[in-house]
Coordinates of all heavy atoms in Angstrom, one line a residue:
G13 N 0.8 -1.2 0.0 CA 0.0 0.0 0.0 C 0.8 1.3 0.0 O 0.2 2.4 0.2
L14 N 2.1 1.2 -0.2 CA 3.0 2.4 -0.3 C 2.4 3.3 -1.4 O 2.1 2.8 -2.5 CB 4.4 2.0 -0.6 CG 5.4 3.2 -0.8 CD1 5.6 3.9 0.5 CD2 6.7 2.7 -1.4
K15 N 2.3 4.6 -1.1 CA 1.9 5.5 -2.1 C 2.7 6.8 -2.2 O 3.0 7.4 -1.1 CB 0.4 5.9 -1.8 CG -0.1 6.9 -2.8 CD -0.4 6.3 -4.2 CE -0.9 7.4 -5.2 NZ -2.3 7.8 -4.8
I16 N 3.3 7.1 -3.4 CA 4.0 8.3 -3.6 C 3.0 9.4 -4.2 O 2.4 9.1 -5.2 CB 5.2 8.1 -4.6 CG1 6.0 7.0 -4.2 CG2 6.0 9.5 -4.7 CD1 6.6 7.1 -2.8
N17 N 2.8 10.5 -3.5 CA 1.9 11.5 -3.9 C 2.6 12.7 -4.5 O 3.8 12.9 -4.4 CB 1.1 12.0 -2.6 CG 0.2 10.9 -2.1 OD1 -0.9 10.6 -2.5 ND2 0.7 10.2 -1.1
A18 N 1.8 13.5 -5.1 CA 2.3 14.7 -5.8 C 2.7 15.7 -4.7 O 2.3 15.7 -3.6 CB 1.2 15.4 -6.6
D19 N 3.7 16.6 -5.1 CA 4.2 17.6 -4.2 C 3.1 18.6 -3.9 O 2.5 19.3 -4.8 CB 5.4 18.3 -4.9 CG 6.0 19.4 -4.1 OD1 5.5 19.7 -3.0 OD2 7.0 20.0 -4.6
P20 N 2.6 18.7 -2.6 CA 1.6 19.7 -2.3 C 2.0 21.1 -2.1 O 1.2 22.0 -1.9 CB 1.0 19.1 -1.0 CG 2.1 18.4 -0.4 CD 3.0 18.0 -1.4
Y21 N 3.3 21.4 -2.3 CA 3.9 22.7 -2.0 C 4.7 23.2 -3.2 O 5.8 23.6 -3.1 CB 4.8 22.6 -0.8 CG 4.1 21.9 0.4 CD1 4.6 20.7 0.8 CD2 3.1 22.5 1.0 CE1 4.0 20.0 1.9 CE2 2.4 21.8 2.1 CZ 2.9 20.6 2.5 OH 2.3 20.0 3.6
T22 N 4.1 23.1 -4.4 CA 4.8 23.4 -5.6 C 5.3 24.8 -5.6 O 6.3 25.2 -6.3 CB 3.9 23.1 -6.9 OG1 2.7 23.8 -6.7 CG2 3.6 21.6 -7.0
G23 N 4.6 25.7 -4.9 CA 5.0 27.2 -4.9 C 6.3 27.4 -4.2 O 6.8 28.5 -4.3
Q24 N 6.7 26.4 -3.4 CA 7.9 26.6 -2.6 C 9.2 26.1 -3.3 O 10.3 26.1 -2.7 CB 7.7 25.9 -1.2 CG 6.6 26.6 -0.5 CD 6.6 26.2 1.0 OE1 7.6 26.0 1.7 NE2 5.4 26.0 1.5
D25 N 9.1 25.5 -4.4 CA 10.3 25.0 -5.2 C 11.1 24.1 -4.4 O 12.4 24.2 -4.4 CB 11.1 26.2 -5.8 CG 10.4 26.8 -6.9 OD1 9.6 26.2 -7.6 OD2 10.7 28.1 -7.1
L26 N 10.6 23.2 -3.6 CA 11.3 22.3 -2.8 C 12.3 21.4 -3.5 O 13.3 21.0 -3.0 CB 10.3 21.4 -1.9 CG 9.4 22.2 -1.0 CD1 8.5 21.2 -0.3 CD2 10.2 22.9 0.0
F27 N 12.0 21.1 -4.8 CA 12.9 20.2 -5.6 C 14.2 20.9 -5.7 O 15.2 20.2 -5.7 CB 12.3 20.1 -7.0 CG 13.1 19.3 -8.0 CD1 13.1 17.9 -8.0 CD2 14.0 20.0 -8.8 CE1 13.9 17.2 -8.9 CE2 14.8 19.3 -9.7 CZ 14.7 17.9 -9.7
Y28 N 14.3 22.2 -5.7 CA 15.5 22.9 -5.9 C 16.2 23.3 -4.6 O 17.2 24.0 -4.6 CB 15.3 24.2 -6.7 CG 14.8 23.9 -8.1 CD1 13.4 24.0 -8.4 CD2 15.6 23.4 -9.2 CE1 12.9 23.8 -9.7 CE2 15.0 23.1 -10.4 CZ 13.7 23.3 -10.7 OH 13.2 23.0 -11.9
R29 N 15.6 22.9 -3.5 CA 16.1 23.4 -2.1 C 16.7 22.3 -1.3 O 16.9 22.5 -0.1 CB 14.9 24.1 -1.4 CG 14.6 25.4 -2.1 CD 13.3 25.9 -1.4 NE 13.3 26.0 0.0 CZ 12.2 26.3 0.7 NH1 11.0 26.4 0.2 NH2 12.4 26.4 2.1
S30 N 16.9 21.1 -1.9 CA 17.5 20.0 -1.1 C 18.5 19.3 -1.9 O 18.8 19.6 -3.1 CB 16.4 19.0 -0.6 OG 16.9 18.1 0.4
D31 N 19.3 18.4 -1.3 CA 20.4 17.7 -1.9 C 20.2 17.1 -3.2 O 21.1 16.8 -4.0 CB 21.0 16.8 -0.9 CG 21.6 17.4 0.3 OD1 22.5 18.2 0.2 OD2 21.3 17.0 1.5
N32 N 18.9 16.7 -3.4 CA 18.6 16.0 -4.7 C 19.0 16.8 -5.9 O 19.4 16.2 -6.9 CB 17.1 15.6 -4.7 CG 16.2 16.8 -4.8 OD1 16.0 17.4 -3.8 ND2 15.7 17.2 -6.0
V33 N 18.9 18.1 -5.8 CA 19.1 19.0 -6.9 C 20.6 18.9 -7.4 O 20.9 19.1 -8.6 CB 18.7 20.4 -6.7 CG1 19.6 21.1 -5.8 CG2 18.5 21.2 -8.0
V34 N 21.5 18.7 -6.5 CA 22.9 18.6 -6.8 C 23.1 17.4 -7.9 O 23.8 17.5 -8.9 CB 23.8 18.3 -5.6 CG1 25.2 18.0 -6.0 CG2 23.7 19.5 -4.6
F35 N 22.4 16.3 -7.7 CA 22.5 15.2 -8.6 C 21.6 15.3 -9.8 O 21.9 14.8 -10.8 CB 22.2 13.9 -7.8 CG 23.2 13.7 -6.7 CD1 23.0 14.2 -5.4 CD2 24.4 13.1 -6.9 CE1 23.9 14.1 -4.4 CE2 25.4 12.9 -5.9 CZ 25.1 13.5 -4.7
A36 N 20.5 16.0 -9.7 CA 19.7 16.3 -10.8 C 20.5 17.1 -11.8 O 20.4 16.8 -13.0 CB 18.5 17.1 -10.4
R37 N 21.4 17.9 -11.4 CA 22.2 18.7 -12.3 C 23.3 17.9 -12.9 O 24.1 18.4 -13.8 CB 22.7 20.0 -11.6 CG 21.6 21.0 -11.3 CD 22.0 22.2 -10.5 NE 20.8 23.1 -10.4 CZ 20.6 23.9 -9.4 NH1 21.3 23.8 -8.4 NH2 19.5 24.7 -9.4
K38 N 23.5 16.7 -12.4 CA 24.4 15.7 -13.1 C 23.6 14.8 -14.0 O 24.0 13.7 -14.4 CB 25.1 14.9 -12.0 CG 26.1 15.7 -11.1 CD 26.7 14.8 -10.1 CE 27.8 13.9 -10.6 NZ 29.0 14.6 -11.1
N39 N 22.4 15.2 -14.3 CA 21.4 14.4 -15.2 C 21.0 13.0 -14.6 O 20.8 12.1 -15.3 CB 22.0 14.2 -16.6 CG 22.2 15.6 -17.3 OD1 21.2 16.3 -17.3 ND2 23.3 15.9 -17.8
I40 N 21.0 13.0 -13.3 CA 20.5 11.8 -12.5 C 19.0 12.2 -12.1 O 18.8 13.2 -11.6 CB 21.3 11.5 -11.3 CG1 22.7 11.1 -11.7 CG2 20.6 10.4 -10.5 CD1 23.7 10.9 -10.5
V41 N 18.1 11.3 -12.4 CA 16.7 11.5 -11.9 C 16.8 11.5 -10.4 O 17.0 10.3 -9.8 CB 15.7 10.5 -12.5 CG1 14.3 10.7 -11.9 CG2 15.7 10.7 -14.0
A42 N 16.6 12.6 -9.7 CA 16.9 12.7 -8.3 C 15.8 13.6 -7.7 O 15.6 14.7 -8.0 CB 18.2 13.2 -8.0
H43 N 15.0 13.0 -6.8 CA 13.9 13.7 -6.1 C 14.0 13.5 -4.6 O 14.6 12.6 -4.1 CB 12.5 13.3 -6.6 CG 12.3 13.5 -8.0 ND1 11.5 14.6 -8.4 CD2 12.6 12.9 -9.1 CE1 11.4 14.5 -9.7 NE2 12.0 13.5 -10.2
S44 N 13.4 14.5 -3.8 CA 13.3 14.3 -2.4 C 11.9 13.7 -2.0 O 10.9 14.1 -2.7 CB 13.6 15.6 -1.7 OG 14.9 16.0 -1.8
F45 N 11.9 12.9 -1.0 CA 10.7 12.3 -0.5 C 10.4 12.7 1.0 O 11.4 12.6 1.8 CB 10.7 10.8 -0.7 CG 10.8 10.4 -2.1 CD1 12.1 10.4 -2.8 CD2 9.7 10.0 -2.8 CE1 12.2 10.0 -4.1 CE2 9.8 9.6 -4.2 CZ 11.0 9.6 -4.8
S46 N 9.2 13.1 1.3 CA 9.0 13.6 2.6 C 7.5 13.3 3.1 O 6.7 12.9 2.3 CB 9.1 15.1 2.6 OG 9.0 15.6 4.0
T47 N 7.3 13.4 4.4 CA 6.0 13.3 5.0 C 5.5 14.5 5.7 O 4.4 14.7 6.1 CB 5.9 12.1 6.0 OG1 6.7 12.4 7.1 CG2 6.3 10.8 5.3
V48 N 6.4 15.5 5.9 CA 6.1 16.6 6.8 C 5.0 17.5 6.2 O 5.0 17.9 5.0 CB 7.4 17.5 7.1 CG1 7.9 18.2 5.8 CG2 7.0 18.5 8.1
D49 N 4.0 17.7 6.9 CA 2.8 18.6 6.6 C 3.2 20.0 6.9 O 3.1 20.4 8.1 CB 1.6 18.1 7.3 CG 0.3 18.9 6.7 OD1 0.5 19.9 6.2 OD2 -0.8 18.4 6.9
M50 N 3.7 20.8 6.0 CA 4.2 22.1 6.2 C 3.1 23.1 6.6 O 3.4 24.2 7.1 CB 5.0 22.6 5.0 CG 6.2 21.7 4.7 SD 7.1 22.2 3.2 CE 7.7 23.8 3.7
R51 N 1.8 22.8 6.5 CA 0.7 23.6 6.9 C 0.6 23.6 8.4 O 0.1 24.7 9.0 CB -0.6 23.2 6.3 CG -0.6 23.1 4.8 CD -1.8 22.3 4.3 NE -1.9 21.0 4.9 CZ -3.0 20.2 4.9 NH1 -4.1 20.6 4.2 NH2 -3.0 19.0 5.5
V52 N 1.0 22.6 9.1 CA 0.8 22.5 10.5 C 2.0 22.2 11.3 O 2.0 22.2 12.5 CB -0.3 21.4 10.8 CG1 -1.6 21.7 10.1 CG2 0.2 20.0 10.4
A53 N 3.1 21.9 10.7 CA 4.3 21.5 11.4 C 4.9 22.7 12.2 O 5.0 23.8 11.6 CB 5.4 21.0 10.5
T54 N 5.2 22.5 13.4 CA 5.7 23.6 14.3 C 7.1 23.3 14.8 O 7.7 24.1 15.6 CB 4.8 23.9 15.5 OG1 4.7 22.7 16.3 CG2 3.4 24.4 15.0
H55 N 7.7 22.2 14.3 CA 9.0 21.7 14.9 C 10.2 22.1 14.0 O 11.3 21.8 14.4 CB 8.9 20.3 15.2 CG 8.6 19.4 14.1 ND1 7.3 19.2 13.6 CD2 9.4 18.7 13.2 CE1 7.4 18.3 12.6 NE2 8.7 18.0 12.3
Y56 N 10.0 22.5 12.8 CA 11.1 22.8 11.9 C 12.1 23.8 12.4 O 11.7 24.9 12.7 CB 10.5 23.2 10.5 CG 11.6 23.5 9.5 CD1 12.4 22.5 9.0 CD2 11.8 24.9 9.1 CE1 13.4 22.9 8.0 CE2 12.8 25.2 8.2 CZ 13.6 24.2 7.6 OH 14.6 24.5 6.8

Protein backbone atom coordinates (compact mmCIF):
# COMPACT_ATOMS: atom_id res chain seq x y z
CA GLY A 1 0.00 0.00 0.00
CA LEU A 2 2.96 2.40 -0.28
CA LYS A 3 1.87 5.54 -2.14
CA ILE A 4 3.97 8.35 -3.61
CA ASN A 5 1.87 11.51 -3.87
CA ALA A 6 2.29 14.74 -5.78
CA ASP A 7 4.19 17.62 -4.19
CA PRO A 8 1.54 19.67 -2.33
CA TYR A 9 3.87 22.66 -2.01
CA THR A 10 4.79 23.39 -5.62
CA GLY A 11 4.98 27.13 -4.95
CA GLN A 12 7.94 26.60 -2.60
CA ASP A 13 10.25 25.00 -5.19
CA LEU A 14 11.30 22.27 -2.76
CA PHE A 15 12.85 20.25 -5.58
CA TYR A 16 15.55 22.91 -5.91
CA ARG A 17 16.11 23.37 -2.17
CA SER A 18 17.47 19.99 -1.06
CA ASP A 19 20.44 17.75 -1.84
CA ASN A 20 18.62 15.97 -4.68
CA VAL A 21 19.13 18.98 -6.96
CA VAL A 22 22.92 18.54 -6.85
CA PHE A 23 22.51 15.17 -8.56
CA ALA A 24 19.69 16.31 -10.81
CA ARG A 25 22.23 18.73 -12.28
CA LYS A 26 24.39 15.69 -13.07
CA ASN A 27 21.44 14.42 -15.16
CA ILE A 28 20.46 11.83 -12.56
CA VAL A 29 16.74 11.54 -11.91
CA ALA A 30 16.84 12.68 -8.28
CA HIS A 31 13.92 13.74 -6.09
CA SER A 32 13.32 14.27 -2.39
CA PHE A 33 10.64 12.34 -0.52
CA SER A 34 8.96 13.61 2.64
CA THR A 35 5.98 13.28 4.95
CA VAL A 36 6.10 16.62 6.76
CA ASP A 37 2.86 18.59 6.56
CA MET A 38 4.19 22.11 6.24
CA ARG A 39 0.76 23.63 6.90
CA VAL A 40 0.76 22.48 10.53
CA ALA A 41 4.34 21.49 11.44
CA THR A 42 5.70 23.63 14.26
CA HIS A 43 8.96 21.77 14.91
CA TYR A 44 11.06 22.74 11.86
